[in-house]
Amino acid sequence: MANKEEKLSYREVIRMNNRAWKIWHKMCPKLFLATTLHSAFAALSPYLTIWLSAQIINELAGKRNPDTLMKLVLIQLISAAVLALLTGILQHWKIYEEDTASQMENKIYIDKMLTLDYIDMDSQHSFDLYSQMRQNRDWAGWGIHKTIRFFGESLKAILQIVGAIGLSVSLFTTKVPAGEKLVVLNNPLFIIAIFALMLFVALISPFCVSKGKAYWTNYASEARLGNRYFSFYGGMSSERKRAVDLRIYSQQENVCNFYLDENNNTLSSNSSMCKSARGPMGLWIALSQVTSVVLIGVVYLFVCLKAWAGAFGVGSVTQYVGAITSLFLGVSQLLQTVGMMKVNCEFLKTSYEFLDIPNKMYQGSLTTEKRADRKYEIEFKDVSFCYPGSDTYALHHVNMKFRIGRRLAVVGMNGSGKTTFIKLLCRLYDPTEGQILLNGIDIRKYKYDDYMDIFSIVFQDFQLFSMPLGENVACSSKYDAQRVIKCLNDAGFSERLKEMPDGLETYLYKELNEKGVEISGGEAQKIAIARALFKDAPFIILDEPTAALDPIAEAEIYSKFNDIAGDKTAIYISHRLSSCKFCDEIAVFDNGAVIQQGTHEDLIADKDGKYYELWNAQAQYYTENKE
Ligand code: ADP
């Protein structure tokens, strides 16, 4: 469960963070300018205040010249006000840029998801990587998200160190006057000892913090699992489709118990993660604080003793204490940030593994050219296919030709390979063996987008979007309204369209608009069919989008669709034979192979054939269509 951190070199840590910064820079080019300016002001401006304060105190404790004092106070006030104002403005700008970048983070993953090969999109491995990455981010911002701040934090720390060194050099170079009691403080050994102590604390303090924070990595898989449960159980109560089941089977109890269970090792205060936060994790962080306090004490002592011995005035005490404290904070902030960058790399690995999934599908360069005559002929030549990770063939030696403008039916029992056949036809997968040809050329040689342009498909599990009706049909925010209305009418949606309160502008569902309308399954199918018609592709495919309807209703929709498909080549898929009776040709699938092919009349005449057997077995469900 606890994944121990792999050792990563600092070079690798910088390389991985740099890659994330480049991603941010590409999305939000001004982010780094805002961060750099803010870091510079935030790191350096306090030193001006410290230095001026020291001058004022020295003047007060020395010559006490009213003119000089007035001038110094004025400069102090004006500079403090201007710097505070500028730092404030820059901080707002930086936060604005960070928030904008943060909002756009999803775009990184959406772009990747949309360009993944379907085979990877469909794979469990990609899904797991994606969901791990989301859960890492939702858990505590781990991954690419966390890197936004690292740049600013480390730059600020570096500048803080540089400024502090500039202000504290004279602490070591100013000597206690000869003959004074503590002249021993001039011994270079003191300088070495102070630096050694500072270095020791600067290293040990962030080391303790990193040790404490490394527990986050150790519990990564557990926390991800917790998040997975959390979103599953949390989301369940608001999902409409589960609302009835939850109530009827009193599943509320299970959901609530998940949160209330004190023995729950993922979310409760008794979880091992919480125990470690109360135990070793807390101790490491406390130890880091202790070491810092000790260092500050020692520096105070050294500075005060030197001042007491007469090396410098009381004003300089403020300057040196301020500068050394800042130096220490800068070093420890830098080391802490680098430590966090290292811890975060464990999470970045998952993000990069996902973003680096290659596109393995061969992309050809031929164009399909929109032919006015729509003469596209597709042929399956001895095609066999095995799903990735499976050792059984879902399709075996399929040979089939789609004749232009004809109606082809693909029928067979559930699981016989019909949808797989269509997925291969649309090049969502490439055949394991054999070839699919478009006008005699392997479909792999065509540009993928061009090839996709020749298909309109309504899948069984089609999805409509919570967007206006017109946009759902046209798949675009700009569309020809008359053509959309014609397609909706052709799909049988005309009556319902008249009832839509805002016509084509009416939102479907309520996710994005409270005035959105809920539509029935049958209405959704009609809209999906209208969408396929609107695309006006030469091939139109219905892959059982009507499976939820009764057989008679399905047969009606299929034969009506036959009229509106016009001169397109249409492919109908169904496990109900009656729905496809009218087709020019029927291919019967069984166990991934085409075992019969012909017209309904040919096939029904073969009394030993599968078609005859299925037809008779199903006849009882659709007596109206009975032979
Ligand atoms: P049909 O559309 O005729 O119901 P499918 O084409 O969906 O049949 O399925 C054919 C076979 O391929 C079935 O044995 C099914 O379990 C298998 N199959 C479908 N999808 C996948 C997948 N993504 N991974 C592995 N096997 C699959």
Side-chain angles (χ1 to χ4, degrees):
M1 166 164 338
N3 293 335
K4 285 284 171 208
E5 199 179 330
E6 252 179 58
K7 288 276 170 236
L8 269 179
S9 70
Y10 279 100
R11 201 193 164 113
E12 186 65 3
V13 172
I14 300 291
R15 193 193 63 76
M16 289 175 80
N17 277 279
N18 203 21
R19 175 169 173 192
W21 291 335
K22 280 187 184 152
I23 296 176
W24 291 125
H25 179 65
K26 203 167 157 202
M27 285 197 303
C28 282
K30 287 191 199 143
L31 172 67
F32 286 87
L33 178 65
T35 309
T36 306
L37 288 177
H38 172 259
S39 298
F41 269 79
L44 298 176
S45 55
Y47 292 128
L48 184 63
T49 314
I50 291 176
W51 184 79
L52 283 167
S53 304
Q55 302 311 306
I56 294 171
I57 297 171
N58 276 341
E59 187 63 31
L60 277 172
K63 294 181 197 149
R64 301 165 64 107
N65 180 333
D67 284 348
T68 316
L69 272 173
M70 179 65 88
K71 219 190 285 169
L72 283 170
V73 169
L74 267 179
I75 297 174
Q76 169 77 308
L77 287 177
I78 294 170
S79 64
V82 171
L83 287 175
L85 187 70
L86 281 175
T87 312
I89 292 172
L90 288 169
Q91 184 173 7
H92 272 87
W93 185 26
K94 184 194 79 143
I95 292 175
Y96 167 79
E97 292 292 337
E98 275 178 1
D99 285 355
T100 312
S102 173
Q103 292 297 327
M104 285 169 75
E105 188 187 354
N106 267 345
K107 191 174 175 311
I108 308 172
Y109 313 123
I110 292 171
D111 285 351
K112 181 66 191 173
M113 272 289 182
L114 291 177
T115 51
L116 274 182
D117 287 345
Y118 183 80
I119 193 168
D120 290 313
M121 175 79 202
D122 207 26
S123 88
Q124 188 59 30
H125 178 62
S126 314
F127 173 76
D128 279 347
L129 281 177
Y130 179 71
S131 100
Q132 273 182 34
M133 200 174 60
R134 296 299 296 246
Q135 282 151 14
N136 287 338
R137 194 192 69 172
D138 294 349
W139 167 34
W142 295 110
I144 294 185
H145 191 262
K146 236 190 184 39
T147 62
I148 298 190
R149 298 249 160 121
F150 291 155
F151 177 79
E153 281 170 7
S154 43
L155 181 66
K156 184 173 163 219
I158 291 169
L159 293 174
Q160 200 172 339
I161 293 168
V162 172
I165 292 174
L167 270 194
S168 51
V169 170
S170 54
L171 165 65
F172 300 101
T173 53
T174 318
K175 303 250 184 280
V176 174
E180 290 292 335
K181 273 187 196 156
L182 287 176
V183 75
V184 64
L185 290 173
N186 291 340
N187 192 321
L189 275 180
F190 272 96
I191 302 177
I192 296 170
I194 293 262
F195 270 105
L197 182 69
M198 257 172 47
L199 196 68
F200 173 71
V201 175
L203 289 172
I204 204 79
S205 170
F207 169 79
C208 296
V209 172
S210 296
K211 272 287 203 200
K213 298 249 164 119
Y215 280 81
W216 290 118
T217 329
N218 295 348
Y219 287 100
S221 55
E222 197 172 327
R224 274 199 297 263
L225 184 68
N227 251 301
R228 212 162 173 158
Y229 284 152
F230 189 78
S231 33
F232 174 71
Y233 283 112
M236 206 150 83
S237 57
S238 57
E239 282 179 44
R240 283 190 202 181
K241 62 178 185 202
R242 293 189 199 268
V244 174
D245 280 356
L246 278 170
R247 282 157 182 74
I248 289 187
Y249 296 104
S250 305
Q251 286 172 341
Q252 298 97 311
E253 227 172 82
N254 292 341
V255 175
C256 296
N257 284 347
F258 175 75
Y259 290 104
L260 298 176
D261 185 359
E262 272 301 292
N263 298 319
N264 182 328
N265 196 32
T266 329
L267 292 181
S268 80
S269 57
N270 282 331
S271 67
S272 32
M273 199 170 7
C274 284
K275 281 184 189 150
S276 103
R278 288 195 296 266
M281 198 170 173
L283 276 177
W284 279 115
I285 309 254
L287 195 60
S288 133
Q289 301 295 324
V290 169
T291 53
S292 329
V293 171
V294 168
L295 173 81
I296 291 172
V298 170
V299 170
Y300 261 84
L301 190 65
F302 179 72
V303 173
C304 290
L305 284 176
K306 251 187 134 169
W308 184 68
F312 39 73
V314 65
S316 303
V317 172
T318 330
Q319 172 177 330
Y320 296 138
V321 167
I324 299 271
T325 313
S326 241
L327 174 65
F328 168 71
L329 289 178
V331 172
S332 91
Q333 177 65 54
L334 182 64
L335 293 172
Q336 249 189 64
T337 307
V338 173
M340 286 302 280
M341 280 160 76
K342 197 167 178 202
V343 172
N344 191 45
C345 278
E346 292 305 310
F347 300 94
L348 280 178
K349 278 184 195 165
T350 312
S351 311
Y352 293 156
E353 194 181 341
F354 174 74
L355 293 178
D356 289 340
I357 297 174
N359 288 92
K360 292 186 256 349
M361 236 179 185
Y362 178 79
Q363 298 282 339
S365 55
L366 292 181
T367 56
T368 53
E369 291 164 28
K370 290 222 160 170
R371 298 174 58 139
D373 60 2
R374 292 175 183 265
K375 286 207 162 45
Y376 291 108
E377 198 170 68
I378 294 193
E379 185 179 0
F380 272 58
K381 272 185 108 174
D382 204 25
V383 170
S384 298
F385 178 70
C386 197
Y387 277 100
S390 163
D391 46 14
T392 49
Y393 275 81
L395 289 184
H396 312 262
H397 304 288
V398 174
N399 287 290
M400 194 162 329
K401 219 172 192 168
F402 299 86
R403 300 212 191 91
I404 298 156
R406 304 288 291 269
R407 309 302 188 229
L408 172 77
V410 175
V411 300
M413 301 294 286
N414 282 332
S416 59
K418 305 182 297 295
T419 297
T420 307
F421 170 73
I422 296 302
K423 284 182 174 165
L424 259 68
L425 173 65
C426 305
R427 230 199 137 193
L428 295 178
Y429 296 99
D430 280 334
T432 314
E433 290 155 28
Q435 271 188 317
I436 304 172
L437 307 175
L438 172 69
N439 291 349
I441 299 172
D442 192 317
I443 58 171
R444 282 177 273 219
K445 297 197 173 147
Y446 290 96
K447 281 187 196 160
Y448 186 73
D449 289 346
D450 260 32
Y451 182 72
M452 289 306 286
D453 271 351
I454 66 172
F455 295 103
S456 281
I457 312 167
V458 191
F459 277 111
Q460 185 167 354
D461 51 359
F462 65 85
Q463 299 289 323
L464 297 178
F465 300 98
S466 303
M467 291 193 301
L469 170 64
E471 289 184 27
N472 263 287
V473 175
C475 296
S476 163
S477 50
K478 291 195 183 97
Y479 53 83
D480 173 351
Q482 288 314 314
R483 204 155 79 77
V484 169
I485 292 171
K486 180 173 184 318
C487 293
L488 283 167
N489 289 344
D490 286 348
F493 196 77
S494 52
E495 289 307 311
R496 187 71 174 90
L497 179 60
K498 284 181 202 144
E499 292 164 16
M500 288 285 183
D502 298 317
L504 295 180
E505 299 298 316
T506 311
Y507 272 79
L508 300 186
Y509 313 115
K510 295 192 187 293
E511 278 98 334
L512 296 184
N513 189 317
E514 60 188 15
K515 287 198 288 179
V517 295
E518 291 299 332
I519 47 170
S520 70
E523 288 162 352
Q525 276 152 7
K526 289 175 182 168
I527 297 172
I529 290 174
R531 179 171 67 182
L533 291 173
F534 188 90
K535 190 173 174 192
D536 197 23
F539 279 85
I540 190 147
I541 302 169
L542 296 191
D543 181 5
E544 298 197 272
T546 44
L549 298 184
D550 65 68
I552 295 167
E554 177 181 281
E556 274 169 16
I557 290 186
Y558 270 35
S559 60
K560 181 169 187 299
F561 190 80
N562 194 32
D563 301 332
I564 49 183
D567 60 351
K568 300 177 196 332
T569 307
I571 303 161
Y572 300 84
I573 302 190
S574 183
H575 64 280
R576 293 155 171 168
L577 275 45
S578 63
S579 309
C580 304
K581 199 176 134 195
F582 63 86
C583 287
D584 302 314
E585 189 159 22
I586 300 172
V588 184
F589 272 70
D590 190 41
N591 272 326
V594 181
I595 52 166
Q596 278 182 290
Q597 214 166 332
T599 61
H600 170 74
E601 285 68 30
D602 295 342
L603 295 175
I604 204 78
D606 178 3
K607 299 225 168 1
D608 299 324
K610 185 82 181 168
Y611 189 85
Y612 181 84
E613 178 197 323
L614 287 175
W615 181 268
N616 282 313
Q618 293 181 356
Q620 54 177 309
Y621 299 118
Y622 35 82
T623 45
E624 278 188 32
N625 290 349
K626 216 169 172 175
E627 278 260 309

mmCIF file of all heavy atoms in Angstrom, residues 122 387-388 390 392-394 412-421 423 429 460 543-544 573 589, ligand 1:
data_model
loop_
_atom_site.group_PDB
_atom_site.id
_atom_site.type_symbol
_atom_site.label_atom_id
_atom_site.label_comp_id
_atom_site.label_asym_id
_atom_site.label_seq_id
_atom_site.Cartn_x
_atom_site.Cartn_y
_atom_site.Cartn_z
ATOM 1 N N ASP A 122 -9.982 3.462 -24.775
ATOM 2 C CA ASP A 122 -10.832 2.372 -24.315
ATOM 3 C C ASP A 122 -10.098 1.460 -23.334
ATOM 4 O O ASP A 122 -10.693 0.563 -22.771
ATOM 5 C CB ASP A 122 -11.230 1.555 -25.562
ATOM 6 C CG ASP A 122 -12.555 0.851 -25.372
ATOM 7 O OD1 ASP A 122 -13.350 1.339 -24.571
ATOM 8 O OD2 ASP A 122 -12.772 -0.184 -26.019
ATOM 9 N N TYR A 387 -9.553 -8.167 -29.498
ATOM 10 C CA TYR A 387 -9.428 -6.956 -28.672
ATOM 11 C C TYR A 387 -8.113 -6.996 -27.910
ATOM 12 O O TYR A 387 -7.673 -8.069 -27.502
ATOM 13 C CB TYR A 387 -10.585 -6.863 -27.667
ATOM 14 C CG TYR A 387 -11.840 -6.266 -28.268
ATOM 15 C CD1 TYR A 387 -12.891 -7.082 -28.676
ATOM 16 C CD2 TYR A 387 -11.957 -4.899 -28.435
ATOM 17 C CE1 TYR A 387 -14.042 -6.535 -29.241
ATOM 18 C CE2 TYR A 387 -13.106 -4.341 -28.992
ATOM 19 C CZ TYR A 387 -14.134 -5.161 -29.387
ATOM 20 O OH TYR A 387 -15.246 -4.604 -29.938
ATOM 21 N N PRO A 388 -7.496 -5.830 -27.688
ATOM 22 C CA PRO A 388 -6.229 -5.818 -26.948
ATOM 23 C C PRO A 388 -6.425 -6.454 -25.573
ATOM 24 O O PRO A 388 -7.438 -6.202 -24.918
ATOM 25 C CB PRO A 388 -5.902 -4.328 -26.785
ATOM 26 C CG PRO A 388 -6.871 -3.585 -27.605
ATOM 27 C CD PRO A 388 -7.956 -4.492 -28.050
ATOM 28 N N SER A 390 -7.100 -9.463 -25.010
ATOM 29 C CA SER A 390 -7.968 -10.645 -25.034
ATOM 30 C C SER A 390 -7.317 -11.682 -25.949
ATOM 31 O O SER A 390 -6.637 -11.329 -26.913
ATOM 32 C CB SER A 390 -9.335 -10.230 -25.576
ATOM 33 O OG SER A 390 -10.057 -11.352 -25.979
ATOM 34 N N THR A 392 -9.167 -14.189 -27.344
ATOM 35 C CA THR A 392 -10.139 -14.799 -28.259
ATOM 36 C C THR A 392 -10.506 -13.789 -29.360
ATOM 37 O O THR A 392 -10.573 -12.583 -29.107
ATOM 38 C CB THR A 392 -11.438 -15.203 -27.523
ATOM 39 O OG1 THR A 392 -11.842 -14.082 -26.744
ATOM 40 C CG2 THR A 392 -11.256 -16.400 -26.632
ATOM 41 N N TYR A 393 -10.719 -14.311 -30.525
ATOM 42 C CA TYR A 393 -11.045 -13.452 -31.658
ATOM 43 C C TYR A 393 -12.507 -13.027 -31.585
ATOM 44 O O TYR A 393 -13.388 -13.866 -31.434
ATOM 45 C CB TYR A 393 -10.778 -14.190 -32.974
ATOM 46 C CG TYR A 393 -9.324 -14.068 -33.389
ATOM 47 C CD1 TYR A 393 -8.347 -14.889 -32.832
ATOM 48 C CD2 TYR A 393 -8.938 -13.115 -34.318
ATOM 49 C CE1 TYR A 393 -7.014 -14.762 -33.189
ATOM 50 C CE2 TYR A 393 -7.613 -12.973 -34.681
ATOM 51 C CZ TYR A 393 -6.647 -13.801 -34.115
ATOM 52 O OH TYR A 393 -5.338 -13.649 -34.474
ATOM 53 N N ALA A 394 -12.756 -11.712 -31.685
ATOM 54 C CA ALA A 394 -14.140 -11.223 -31.699
ATOM 55 C C ALA A 394 -14.693 -11.282 -33.120
ATOM 56 O O ALA A 394 -15.909 -11.310 -33.321
ATOM 57 C CB ALA A 394 -14.198 -9.801 -31.169
ATOM 58 N N GLY A 412 -27.671 -10.732 -35.666
ATOM 59 C CA GLY A 412 -27.032 -11.799 -34.906
ATOM 60 C C GLY A 412 -27.329 -11.602 -33.443
ATOM 61 O O GLY A 412 -27.768 -10.530 -33.023
ATOM 62 N N MET A 413 -27.055 -12.636 -32.666
ATOM 63 C CA MET A 413 -27.326 -12.568 -31.232
ATOM 64 C C MET A 413 -26.383 -11.560 -30.577
ATOM 65 O O MET A 413 -25.347 -11.209 -31.148
ATOM 66 C CB MET A 413 -27.076 -13.937 -30.582
ATOM 67 C CG MET A 413 -27.914 -15.042 -31.161
ATOM 68 S SD MET A 413 -29.647 -14.774 -30.820
ATOM 69 C CE MET A 413 -29.681 -15.204 -29.087
ATOM 70 N N ASN A 414 -26.735 -11.169 -29.343
ATOM 71 C CA ASN A 414 -25.822 -10.287 -28.609
ATOM 72 C C ASN A 414 -24.480 -10.979 -28.440
ATOM 73 O O ASN A 414 -24.422 -12.174 -28.186
ATOM 74 C CB ASN A 414 -26.402 -9.962 -27.224
ATOM 75 C CG ASN A 414 -27.478 -8.905 -27.330
ATOM 76 O OD1 ASN A 414 -27.451 -8.086 -28.247
ATOM 77 N ND2 ASN A 414 -28.438 -8.951 -26.424
ATOM 78 N N GLY A 415 -23.420 -10.240 -28.612
ATOM 79 C CA GLY A 415 -22.077 -10.795 -28.439
ATOM 80 C C GLY A 415 -21.552 -11.492 -29.678
ATOM 81 O O GLY A 415 -20.472 -12.094 -29.655
ATOM 82 N N SER A 416 -22.294 -11.413 -30.803
ATOM 83 C CA SER A 416 -21.848 -12.142 -31.999
ATOM 84 C C SER A 416 -20.822 -11.354 -32.817
ATOM 85 O O SER A 416 -20.255 -11.876 -33.764
ATOM 86 C CB SER A 416 -23.053 -12.519 -32.872
ATOM 87 O OG SER A 416 -23.738 -11.344 -33.251
ATOM 88 N N GLY A 417 -20.575 -10.083 -32.459
ATOM 89 C CA GLY A 417 -19.511 -9.336 -33.146
ATOM 90 C C GLY A 417 -19.999 -8.186 -34.011
ATOM 91 O O GLY A 417 -19.202 -7.568 -34.722
ATOM 92 N N LYS A 418 -21.283 -7.822 -33.924
ATOM 93 C CA LYS A 418 -21.833 -6.788 -34.815
ATOM 94 C C LYS A 418 -21.196 -5.415 -34.550
ATOM 95 O O LYS A 418 -20.748 -4.741 -35.476
ATOM 96 C CB LYS A 418 -23.366 -6.691 -34.635
ATOM 97 C CG LYS A 418 -24.094 -8.015 -34.845
ATOM 98 C CD LYS A 418 -25.595 -7.875 -34.707
ATOM 99 C CE LYS A 418 -26.089 -7.446 -33.351
ATOM 100 N NZ LYS A 418 -25.838 -8.415 -32.258
ATOM 101 N N THR A 419 -21.143 -5.040 -33.255
ATOM 102 C CA THR A 419 -20.587 -3.719 -32.940
ATOM 103 C C THR A 419 -19.091 -3.678 -33.240
ATOM 104 O O THR A 419 -18.565 -2.675 -33.734
ATOM 105 C CB THR A 419 -20.863 -3.372 -31.462
ATOM 106 O OG1 THR A 419 -22.273 -3.312 -31.314
ATOM 107 C CG2 THR A 419 -20.272 -2.048 -31.054
ATOM 108 N N THR A 420 -18.411 -4.780 -32.980
ATOM 109 C CA THR A 420 -16.972 -4.847 -33.273
ATOM 110 C C THR A 420 -16.752 -4.608 -34.765
ATOM 111 O O THR A 420 -15.846 -3.874 -35.167
ATOM 112 C CB THR A 420 -16.429 -6.239 -32.871
ATOM 113 O OG1 THR A 420 -16.805 -6.483 -31.522
ATOM 114 C CG2 THR A 420 -14.933 -6.313 -33.017
ATOM 115 N N PHE A 421 -17.619 -5.203 -35.568
ATOM 116 C CA PHE A 421 -17.539 -5.054 -37.022
ATOM 117 C C PHE A 421 -17.644 -3.571 -37.407
ATOM 118 O O PHE A 421 -16.865 -3.050 -38.202
ATOM 119 C CB PHE A 421 -18.680 -5.898 -37.625
ATOM 120 C CG PHE A 421 -18.910 -5.708 -39.080
ATOM 121 C CD1 PHE A 421 -18.030 -6.229 -40.012
ATOM 122 C CD2 PHE A 421 -20.030 -5.023 -39.537
ATOM 123 C CE1 PHE A 421 -18.257 -6.071 -41.370
ATOM 124 C CE2 PHE A 421 -20.264 -4.858 -40.882
ATOM 125 C CZ PHE A 421 -19.373 -5.380 -41.800
ATOM 126 N N LYS A 423 -17.052 -0.999 -35.397
ATOM 127 C CA LYS A 423 -15.906 -0.253 -34.855
ATOM 128 C C LYS A 423 -14.702 -0.384 -35.776
ATOM 129 O O LYS A 423 -13.913 0.545 -35.921
ATOM 130 C CB LYS A 423 -15.557 -0.749 -33.456
ATOM 131 C CG LYS A 423 -16.536 -0.228 -32.407
ATOM 132 C CD LYS A 423 -16.161 -0.666 -31.028
ATOM 133 C CE LYS A 423 -17.058 -0.018 -29.977
ATOM 134 N NZ LYS A 423 -16.956 -0.683 -28.694
ATOM 135 N N TYR A 429 -10.658 0.746 -34.308
ATOM 136 C CA TYR A 429 -9.580 -0.225 -34.139
ATOM 137 C C TYR A 429 -9.105 -0.627 -35.534
ATOM 138 O O TYR A 429 -9.875 -0.555 -36.489
ATOM 139 C CB TYR A 429 -10.084 -1.497 -33.454
ATOM 140 C CG TYR A 429 -10.574 -1.305 -32.043
ATOM 141 C CD1 TYR A 429 -11.930 -1.179 -31.759
ATOM 142 C CD2 TYR A 429 -9.679 -1.279 -30.990
ATOM 143 C CE1 TYR A 429 -12.381 -1.016 -30.456
ATOM 144 C CE2 TYR A 429 -10.121 -1.116 -29.679
ATOM 145 C CZ TYR A 429 -11.469 -0.985 -29.424
ATOM 146 O OH TYR A 429 -11.908 -0.823 -28.133
ATOM 147 N N GLN A 460 -25.632 2.484 -30.141
ATOM 148 C CA GLN A 460 -26.596 2.084 -29.115
ATOM 149 C C GLN A 460 -26.500 3.006 -27.891
ATOM 150 O O GLN A 460 -27.495 3.435 -27.353
ATOM 151 C CB GLN A 460 -26.258 0.656 -28.701
ATOM 152 C CG GLN A 460 -27.241 0.079 -27.727
ATOM 153 C CD GLN A 460 -27.039 -1.424 -27.612
ATOM 154 O OE1 GLN A 460 -26.262 -2.022 -28.328
ATOM 155 N NE2 GLN A 460 -27.749 -2.026 -26.710
ATOM 156 N N ASP A 543 -26.582 1.515 -35.163
ATOM 157 C CA ASP A 543 -26.145 0.354 -34.384
ATOM 158 C C ASP A 543 -27.051 0.192 -33.169
ATOM 159 O O ASP A 543 -26.723 0.621 -32.063
ATOM 160 C CB ASP A 543 -24.687 0.546 -33.951
ATOM 161 C CG ASP A 543 -24.181 -0.659 -33.158
ATOM 162 O OD1 ASP A 543 -24.929 -1.646 -33.039
ATOM 163 O OD2 ASP A 543 -23.047 -0.610 -32.658
ATOM 164 N N GLU A 544 -28.192 -0.379 -33.395
ATOM 165 C CA GLU A 544 -29.183 -0.652 -32.345
ATOM 166 C C GLU A 544 -29.456 0.529 -31.417
ATOM 167 O O GLU A 544 -29.495 0.365 -30.200
ATOM 168 C CB GLU A 544 -28.738 -1.842 -31.491
ATOM 169 C CG GLU A 544 -28.635 -3.106 -32.291
ATOM 170 C CD GLU A 544 -28.617 -4.344 -31.406
ATOM 171 O OE1 GLU A 544 -27.552 -4.766 -30.973
ATOM 172 O OE2 GLU A 544 -29.718 -4.878 -31.178
ATOM 173 N N ILE A 573 -27.972 -2.384 -37.803
ATOM 174 C CA ILE A 573 -27.521 -3.467 -36.942
ATOM 175 C C ILE A 573 -28.615 -3.777 -35.951
ATOM 176 O O ILE A 573 -29.200 -2.848 -35.372
ATOM 177 C CB ILE A 573 -26.261 -3.017 -36.200
ATOM 178 C CG1 ILE A 573 -25.286 -2.658 -37.274
ATOM 179 C CG2 ILE A 573 -25.743 -4.091 -35.259
ATOM 180 C CD1 ILE A 573 -23.983 -2.402 -36.925
ATOM 181 N N PHE A 589 -24.383 -12.715 -38.322
ATOM 182 C CA PHE A 589 -23.158 -12.930 -37.536
ATOM 183 C C PHE A 589 -23.414 -13.981 -36.471
ATOM 184 O O PHE A 589 -24.467 -14.005 -35.842
ATOM 185 C CB PHE A 589 -22.740 -11.622 -36.845
ATOM 186 C CG PHE A 589 -21.856 -10.755 -37.683
ATOM 187 C CD1 PHE A 589 -22.350 -10.108 -38.802
ATOM 188 C CD2 PHE A 589 -20.513 -10.588 -37.356
ATOM 189 C CE1 PHE A 589 -21.535 -9.306 -39.575
ATOM 190 C CE2 PHE A 589 -19.687 -9.784 -38.122
ATOM 191 C CZ PHE A 589 -20.191 -9.144 -39.240
HETATM 192 P P1 ADP B 1 -22.632 -7.458 -30.493
HETATM 193 O O1 ADP B 1 -22.531 -6.064 -30.998
HETATM 194 O O2 ADP B 1 -23.018 -8.436 -31.551
HETATM 195 O O3 ADP B 1 -23.501 -7.584 -29.302
HETATM 196 P P2 ADP B 1 -19.841 -7.115 -29.783
HETATM 197 O O4 ADP B 1 -19.197 -6.770 -31.052
HETATM 198 O O5 ADP B 1 -20.137 -6.000 -28.837
HETATM 199 O O6 ADP B 1 -21.160 -7.947 -30.048
HETATM 200 O O7 ADP B 1 -18.934 -8.167 -29.015
HETATM 201 C C1 ADP B 1 -18.299 -9.277 -29.669
HETATM 202 C C2 ADP B 1 -17.357 -9.954 -28.675
HETATM 203 O O8 ADP B 1 -16.294 -9.076 -28.359
HETATM 204 C C3 ADP B 1 -18.047 -10.316 -27.372
HETATM 205 O O9 ADP B 1 -17.547 -11.581 -26.957
HETATM 206 C C4 ADP B 1 -17.596 -9.232 -26.430
HETATM 207 O O10 ADP B 1 -17.503 -9.726 -25.117
HETATM 208 C C5 ADP B 1 -16.212 -8.900 -26.961
HETATM 209 N N1 ADP B 1 -15.877 -7.487 -26.701
HETATM 210 C C6 ADP B 1 -16.620 -6.402 -27.032
HETATM 211 N N2 ADP B 1 -15.991 -5.265 -26.663
HETATM 212 C C7 ADP B 1 -14.827 -5.634 -26.082
HETATM 213 C C8 ADP B 1 -13.725 -4.923 -25.507
HETATM 214 N N3 ADP B 1 -13.682 -3.584 -25.464
HETATM 215 N N4 ADP B 1 -12.691 -5.646 -24.998
HETATM 216 C C9 ADP B 1 -12.708 -6.999 -25.056
HETATM 217 N N5 ADP B 1 -13.702 -7.722 -25.585
HETATM 218 C C10 ADP B 1 -14.759 -7.076 -26.098
#
